[in-house]
């Protein structure tokens, strides 16, 4: 298995990150900064989020540098000073990263990843880190809802063709797999991530033949171990009857019909009718696979109706996270030059300093509440944020996807019952520690005092 290394394009940044970096460099503000990535608030239709994308974030940081072509392009634009461009030429990410493990359930204001590095470097990696972590967390969280609702149903990612670009389609396959999907239709995702790939036939295959029966017969003989037929090209019930009629012929050749796929119409009603036809022909082991605009709400309705659907192919609604297509996330400065910092903007204020999340469980292993606290505080529970990189080097080999899948399963099993459903419920309790509250007050006091001093004496002679 190989892993996708996101292109370490250093110019995949917002311009203001470079303009700030030049100003930092010019002022000698190269001290260590601490930034944290977190979600400000949950979408109205989410009760939790599933952290994902850490592996790609680490790979991006490991390869981060400005090549000669990047420097030459910036120089031709005549926007940046020559001394700053020479500084960029030597830049590498040699900082530290702390993060929650991939597949961990997280809630608002809880840091998912912390970067500790010289200020210009920590600033310049912001946009790409958000880009990587936001998307996979978004898709893994959507997929987890489907897994919870589907229970024993098999889920397959069908979303590559509707994803917003190639990388998004591949990372959606990875994110949904770690959330509990069985695999993907995207072959490249199998090569890159070892996510199992699945696929049978399209409507064009059936249309290319003189009859559905001819199409089914050829496919079964070509793929005798994977005889799954798409039966809704013309009439779904007629397609099921043709499968039933063909079954004895294929059985004599040693071919067992594995299942049928429904890709249009009323999936619940058709599944009932198709199941009846297949069972009457003795094909009780043949599975019914449903696709066509499936999401967690469709699965929930099908379950409530007792639809005999065994598996789902889920595309557009997964890779676009259609009901919540973005997360209100941020990457904010929490410390610079040894001093805690915080933002106080209304609705977007942050808690200062390097933080830790402590999770508590009851005797049954169910999550009962988190503490958001200062890193190093001793509180009862399990710390979630752990060192991942030190001085620019990863501290452990990249984690296998199966290990992340196992962590997801453990996390989902520990969710309180109310949070497992699709309806909004009372928020999970995240308590701010008293020490962190005091630190925020101290930072506010220091900022106010500095502002008052500045008003009296004018700007300082050197950066703070």
């Amino acid at each position: 298995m190989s892993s996708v290394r996101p292109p370490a394009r250093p110019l995949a940044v917002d311009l203001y990150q470079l303009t700030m970096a030049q100003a930092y460099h010019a002022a000698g503000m190269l001290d260590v900064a601490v930034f944290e990535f977190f979600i400000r608030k949950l979408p109205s239709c989410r009760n939790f989020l599933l952290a994902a994308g850490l592996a790609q974030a680490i790979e991006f940081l490991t390869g981060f540098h400005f090549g000669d072509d990047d420097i030459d392009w910036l120089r031709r634009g005549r926007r940046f000073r020559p001394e700053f461009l020479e500084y960029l030429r030597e830049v590498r990410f040699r900082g530290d990263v702390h993060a929650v493990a991939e597949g961990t359930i997280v809630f608002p204001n809880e840091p998912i990843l912390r970067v500790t590095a010289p200020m210009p470097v920590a600033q310049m990696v912001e946009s790409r880190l958000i880009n990587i972590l936001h998307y996979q967390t978004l898709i893994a969280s959507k997929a987890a809802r489907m897994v919870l609702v589907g229970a024993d149903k098999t889920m397959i990612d069908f979303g590559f063709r509707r994803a917003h670009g190639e990388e998004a389609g591949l990372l959606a396959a990875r994110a949904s797999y770690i959330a509990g999907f069985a695999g993907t239709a995207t072959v490249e995702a199998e090569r890159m991530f070892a996510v199992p790939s699945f696929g049978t036939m399209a409507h064009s295959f059936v249309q290319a033949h003189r009859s559905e029966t001819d199409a089914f017969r050829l496919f079964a003989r070509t793929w005798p171990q994977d005889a799954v037929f798409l039966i809704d090209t013309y009439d779904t019930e007629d397609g099921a009857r043709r499968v039933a009629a063909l079954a004895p012929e294929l059985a004599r050749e040693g071919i067992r019909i594995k299942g049928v796929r429904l890709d249009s119409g009323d999936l619940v009603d058709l599944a009932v009718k198709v199941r009846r036809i297949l069972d009457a022909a003795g094909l009780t082991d043949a599975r019914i696979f449903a696709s066509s605009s499936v999401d967690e709400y469709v699965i929930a309705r099908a379950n409530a109706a007792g639809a005999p659907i065994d598996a789902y192919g889920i595309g557009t609604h997964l890779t676009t996270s259609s009901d919540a297509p973005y997360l209100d996330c941020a990457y904010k400065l929490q410390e610079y030059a040894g001093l805690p910092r915080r933002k106080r903007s209304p609705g977007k204020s942050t808690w200062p300093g390097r933080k830790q999340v402590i999770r508590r469980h009851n005797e049954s292993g169910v999550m009962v509440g988190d503490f958001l606290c200062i890193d190093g505080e001793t509180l009862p529970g399990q710390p979630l944020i752990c060192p991942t990189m030190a001085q620019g080097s990863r501290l452990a080999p990249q984690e296998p996807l199966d290990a992340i899948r196992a962590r997801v399963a453990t996390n989902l099993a520990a969710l309180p019952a109310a949070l497992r459903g699709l309806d909004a419920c009372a928020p999970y309790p995240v308590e701010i520690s008293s020490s962190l509250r005091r630190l925020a007050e101290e930072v506010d006091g220091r900022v106010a005092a500095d502002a008052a001093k500045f008003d009296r004496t004018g700007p300082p002679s050197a950066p703070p």
Side-chain angles (χ1 to χ4, degrees):
M1 179 189 72
S2 63
S3 176
V4 166
R5 177 182 291 277
R9 297 189 179 100
L11 298 183
V13 299
D14 294 309
L15 177 60
Y16 77 164
Q17 286 151 8
L18 292 177
T19 59
M20 287 187 289
Q22 177 165 280
Y24 291 141
H25 179 262
M29 294 179 65
L30 307 180
D31 285 329
V32 170
V34 176
F35 283 79
E36 290 178 342
F37 172 79
F38 59 95
I39 310 299
R40 286 194 182 103
K41 61 183 179 180
L42 296 176
S44 60
C45 48
R46 296 287 182 273
N47 293 322
F48 66 90
L49 296 173
L50 200 60
L54 177 61
Q56 282 68 46
I58 296 303
E59 289 187 348
F60 163 68
L61 293 174
T62 300
F64 182 77
H65 73 281
F66 289 83
D68 291 342
D69 289 346
D70 304 313
I71 300 297
D72 290 344
W73 187 87
L74 290 172
R75 180 179 291 110
R76 290 196 300 271
R78 299 182 179 180
R79 181 181 275 146
F80 297 98
R81 300 173 183 175
E83 59 271 23
F84 175 64
L85 295 180
E86 289 308 306
Y87 164 76
L88 290 184
R89 190 184 300 278
E90 302 303 318
V91 162
R92 301 291 188 276
F93 183 83
R94 298 190 176 93
D96 299 340
V97 173
H98 293 71
V100 300
E102 279 202 87
T104 300
I105 287 172
V106 293
F107 299 96
N109 295 314
E110 297 183 341
I112 294 174
L113 178 138
R114 179 199 309 151
V115 168
T116 305
M119 173 60 95
V121 178
Q123 191 81 72
M124 288 188 292
V125 298
E126 172 183 0
S127 289
R128 184 58 170 143
L129 285 179
I130 294 176
N131 173 259
I132 293 168
L133 296 168
H134 169 268
Y135 183 69
Q136 286 205 65
T137 297
L138 179 74
I139 301 306
S141 303
K142 178 73 168 175
R145 285 162 57 84
M146 298 174 185
V147 170
L148 286 172
V149 170
D152 60 340
K153 310 297 183 183
T154 299
M155 312 282 178
I156 307 294
D157 156 46
F158 270 23
F160 182 82
R161 63 185 62 190
R162 300 289 177 83
H164 298 165
E166 178 182 352
E167 183 188 60
L170 295 171
L171 294 180
R174 180 185 186 275
S176 59
Y177 182 65
I178 66 176
F181 273 42
T184 180
T186 307
V187 178
E188 183 70 3
E190 181 169 16
R191 181 172 75 158
M192 289 187 170
F193 302 123
V195 175
S197 62
F198 297 84
T200 55
M201 62 174 66
H203 293 107
S204 57
F205 185 83
V206 176
Q207 292 171 279
H209 289 77
R210 293 177 303 171
S211 70
E212 283 185 303
T213 300
D214 284 347
F216 298 159
R217 182 183 290 114
L218 173 60
F219 193 86
R221 287 173 176 169
T222 306
W223 299 98
Q225 303 305 315
D226 196 23
V228 178
F229 307 131
L230 180 61
I231 62 172
D232 73 325
T233 304
Y234 305 117
D235 179 278
T236 302
E237 292 178 70
D238 284 347
R241 294 186 187 99
R242 292 187 177 104
V243 171
L246 183 62
E249 175 186 331
L250 295 179
R252 288 192 293 272
E253 298 176 22
I255 299 173
R256 181 180 70 86
I257 293 176
K258 192 174 180 179
V260 298
R261 178 159 74 96
L262 315 177
D263 191 49
S264 60
D266 185 333
L267 297 178
V268 172
D269 179 63
L270 289 173
V272 171
K273 292 174 178 176
V274 168
R275 182 78 271 162
R276 189 178 300 126
I277 292 168
L278 297 178
D279 288 351
L283 299 174
T284 56
D285 291 338
R287 306 180 79 205
I288 295 179
F289 189 97
S291 48
S292 183
S293 296
V294 174
D295 63 9
E296 62 266 47
Y297 302 102
V298 169
I299 297 169
R301 288 193 294 271
N303 286 349
I309 297 173
D310 303 292
Y312 290 95
I314 305 170
T316 304
H317 292 290
L318 171 69
T319 54
T320 65
S321 186
S322 55
D323 63 329
Y326 70 93
L327 300 173
D328 185 359
C329 59
Y331 176 91
K332 294 301 178 185
L333 179 67
Q334 312 294 15
E335 179 184 302
Y336 176 62
L339 290 177
R341 315 278 172 146
R342 86 178 187 119
K343 181 178 177 179
R344 293 179 57 192
S345 306
K348 293 186 176 182
S349 62
T350 62
W351 294 102
R354 308 179 192 208
K355 292 178 285 298
Q356 178 60 269
V357 178
I358 306 292
R359 178 153 296 162
R360 294 171 292 130
H361 299 78
N362 65 18
E363 294 180 355
S364 300
V366 176
M367 296 160 44
V368 295
D370 292 356
F371 288 113
L372 181 64
C373 61
I374 298 172
D375 189 35
E377 276 194 73
T378 302
L379 293 168
Q382 173 193 3
L384 299 185
I385 300 173
C386 300
T388 303
M389 293 183 75
Q391 298 180 342
S393 298
R394 64 169 67 247
L395 295 178
Q398 184 168 304
E399 196 172 21
L401 289 194
D402 284 346
I404 302 173
R405 278 167 61 86
R407 181 179 299 113
V408 170
T410 299
N411 271 253
L412 294 180
L415 268 177
L419 272 63
R420 299 169 65 87
L422 300 182
D423 297 330
C425 64
Y428 177 82
V430 178
E431 181 179 345
I432 309 303
S433 76
S434 56
S435 296
L436 183 54
R437 290 185 184 278
R438 285 195 299 273
L439 180 61
E441 293 173 359
E442 291 169 8
V443 171
D444 292 347
R446 187 187 76 235
V447 170
D450 288 347
K453 182 178 179 180
F454 177 90
D455 291 341
R456 290 194 306 270
T457 64
S461 58

PDB file of all heavy atoms in Angstrom, residues 73 150 236 259 266 340 368 385 389 403 406 410:
ATOM      1  N   TRP A  73       9.128  32.325  -9.659  1.00  0.00           N
ATOM      2  CA  TRP A  73       7.810  32.898  -9.983  1.00  0.00           C
ATOM      3  C   TRP A  73       7.502  34.079  -9.080  1.00  0.00           C
ATOM      4  O   TRP A  73       7.004  35.116  -9.537  1.00  0.00           O
ATOM      5  CB  TRP A  73       6.740  31.818  -9.845  1.00  0.00           C
ATOM      6  CG  TRP A  73       5.391  32.279 -10.321  1.00  0.00           C
ATOM      7  CD1 TRP A  73       4.904  32.234 -11.595  1.00  0.00           C
ATOM      8  CD2 TRP A  73       4.366  32.885  -9.517  1.00  0.00           C
ATOM      9  NE1 TRP A  73       3.641  32.768 -11.645  1.00  0.00           N
ATOM     10  CE2 TRP A  73       3.286  33.180 -10.383  1.00  0.00           C
ATOM     11  CE3 TRP A  73       4.263  33.216  -8.173  1.00  0.00           C
ATOM     12  CZ2 TRP A  73       2.109  33.780  -9.930  1.00  0.00           C
ATOM     13  CZ3 TRP A  73       3.088  33.812  -7.716  1.00  0.00           C
ATOM     14  CH2 TRP A  73       2.032  34.081  -8.592  1.00  0.00           C
ATOM     15  N   GLY A 150     -27.110   2.570   9.246  1.00  0.00           N
ATOM     16  CA  GLY A 150     -27.177   1.334   8.475  1.00  0.00           C
ATOM     17  C   GLY A 150     -26.946   0.083   9.281  1.00  0.00           C
ATOM     18  O   GLY A 150     -27.355  -1.004   8.881  1.00  0.00           O
ATOM     19  N   THR A 236     -37.639  -2.927 -13.685  1.00  0.00           N
ATOM     20  CA  THR A 236     -36.943  -3.596 -12.592  1.00  0.00           C
ATOM     21  C   THR A 236     -37.494  -4.990 -12.308  1.00  0.00           C
ATOM     22  O   THR A 236     -36.733  -5.952 -12.147  1.00  0.00           O
ATOM     23  CB  THR A 236     -37.007  -2.731 -11.323  1.00  0.00           C
ATOM     24  OG1 THR A 236     -36.431  -1.454 -11.598  1.00  0.00           O
ATOM     25  CG2 THR A 236     -36.231  -3.375 -10.191  1.00  0.00           C
ATOM     26  N   GLY A 259     -26.014 -11.340  -6.451  1.00  0.00           N
ATOM     27  CA  GLY A 259     -26.983 -10.314  -6.089  1.00  0.00           C
ATOM     28  C   GLY A 259     -27.453  -9.510  -7.275  1.00  0.00           C
ATOM     29  O   GLY A 259     -27.051  -9.734  -8.419  1.00  0.00           O
ATOM     30  N   ASP A 266     -38.640   3.770  -6.578  1.00  0.00           N
ATOM     31  CA  ASP A 266     -38.916   3.632  -5.144  1.00  0.00           C
ATOM     32  C   ASP A 266     -38.146   2.421  -4.635  1.00  0.00           C
ATOM     33  O   ASP A 266     -38.581   1.277  -4.797  1.00  0.00           O
ATOM     34  CB  ASP A 266     -40.420   3.468  -4.932  1.00  0.00           C
ATOM     35  CG  ASP A 266     -40.810   3.431  -3.457  1.00  0.00           C
ATOM     36  OD1 ASP A 266     -39.974   3.031  -2.623  1.00  0.00           O
ATOM     37  OD2 ASP A 266     -41.964   3.774  -3.148  1.00  0.00           O
ATOM     38  N   PRO A 340       0.759  33.357  25.967  1.00  0.00           N
ATOM     39  CA  PRO A 340      -0.540  32.934  25.438  1.00  0.00           C
ATOM     40  C   PRO A 340      -1.255  34.098  24.757  1.00  0.00           C
ATOM     41  O   PRO A 340      -1.160  35.251  25.198  1.00  0.00           O
ATOM     42  CB  PRO A 340      -1.304  32.470  26.683  1.00  0.00           C
ATOM     43  CG  PRO A 340      -0.251  32.161  27.690  1.00  0.00           C
ATOM     44  CD  PRO A 340       0.856  33.143  27.427  1.00  0.00           C
ATOM     45  N   VAL A 368     -19.134  10.514  28.663  1.00  0.00           N
ATOM     46  CA  VAL A 368     -20.036  11.313  29.497  1.00  0.00           C
ATOM     47  C   VAL A 368     -19.669  12.793  29.514  1.00  0.00           C
ATOM     48  O   VAL A 368     -20.455  13.621  29.971  1.00  0.00           O
ATOM     49  CB  VAL A 368     -20.078  10.779  30.941  1.00  0.00           C
ATOM     50  CG1 VAL A 368     -20.681   9.381  30.973  1.00  0.00           C
ATOM     51  CG2 VAL A 368     -18.686  10.785  31.573  1.00  0.00           C
ATOM     52  N   ILE A 385      -5.048  14.576  22.947  1.00  0.00           N
ATOM     53  CA  ILE A 385      -4.073  15.218  22.063  1.00  0.00           C
ATOM     54  C   ILE A 385      -2.674  14.704  22.396  1.00  0.00           C
ATOM     55  O   ILE A 385      -2.212  14.825  23.534  1.00  0.00           O
ATOM     56  CB  ILE A 385      -4.137  16.749  22.204  1.00  0.00           C
ATOM     57  CG1 ILE A 385      -5.542  17.242  21.844  1.00  0.00           C
ATOM     58  CG2 ILE A 385      -3.095  17.417  21.317  1.00  0.00           C
ATOM     59  CD1 ILE A 385      -5.762  18.725  22.102  1.00  0.00           C
ATOM     60  N   MET A 389       4.576  14.906  15.611  1.00  0.00           N
ATOM     61  CA  MET A 389       5.833  15.265  14.960  1.00  0.00           C
ATOM     62  C   MET A 389       6.690  16.039  15.956  1.00  0.00           C
ATOM     63  O   MET A 389       6.165  16.787  16.786  1.00  0.00           O
ATOM     64  CB  MET A 389       5.606  16.147  13.723  1.00  0.00           C
ATOM     65  CG  MET A 389       4.918  15.488  12.566  1.00  0.00           C
ATOM     66  SD  MET A 389       4.794  16.624  11.128  1.00  0.00           S
ATOM     67  CE  MET A 389       6.493  16.601  10.511  1.00  0.00           C
ATOM     68  N   ALA A 403      -6.266   0.039  11.578  1.00  0.00           N
ATOM     69  CA  ALA A 403      -6.166   0.494  12.972  1.00  0.00           C
ATOM     70  C   ALA A 403      -7.057   1.709  13.203  1.00  0.00           C
ATOM     71  O   ALA A 403      -7.692   1.843  14.256  1.00  0.00           O
ATOM     72  CB  ALA A 403      -4.712   0.817  13.316  1.00  0.00           C
ATOM     73  N   ALA A 406     -10.640   0.556  13.357  1.00  0.00           N
ATOM     74  CA  ALA A 406     -10.937  -0.032  14.665  1.00  0.00           C
ATOM     75  C   ALA A 406     -11.168   1.062  15.705  1.00  0.00           C
ATOM     76  O   ALA A 406     -12.057   0.941  16.563  1.00  0.00           O
ATOM     77  CB  ALA A 406      -9.795  -0.953  15.098  1.00  0.00           C
ATOM     78  N   THR A 410     -14.630   1.795  17.886  1.00  0.00           N
ATOM     79  CA  THR A 410     -14.633   1.942  19.345  1.00  0.00           C
ATOM     80  C   THR A 410     -15.253   3.268  19.755  1.00  0.00           C
ATOM     81  O   THR A 410     -16.045   3.336  20.703  1.00  0.00           O
ATOM     82  CB  THR A 410     -13.192   1.846  19.881  1.00  0.00           C
ATOM     83  OG1 THR A 410     -12.644   0.564  19.551  1.00  0.00           O
ATOM     84  CG2 THR A 410     -13.159   2.026  21.396  1.00  0.00           C
TER      85      THR A 410
END
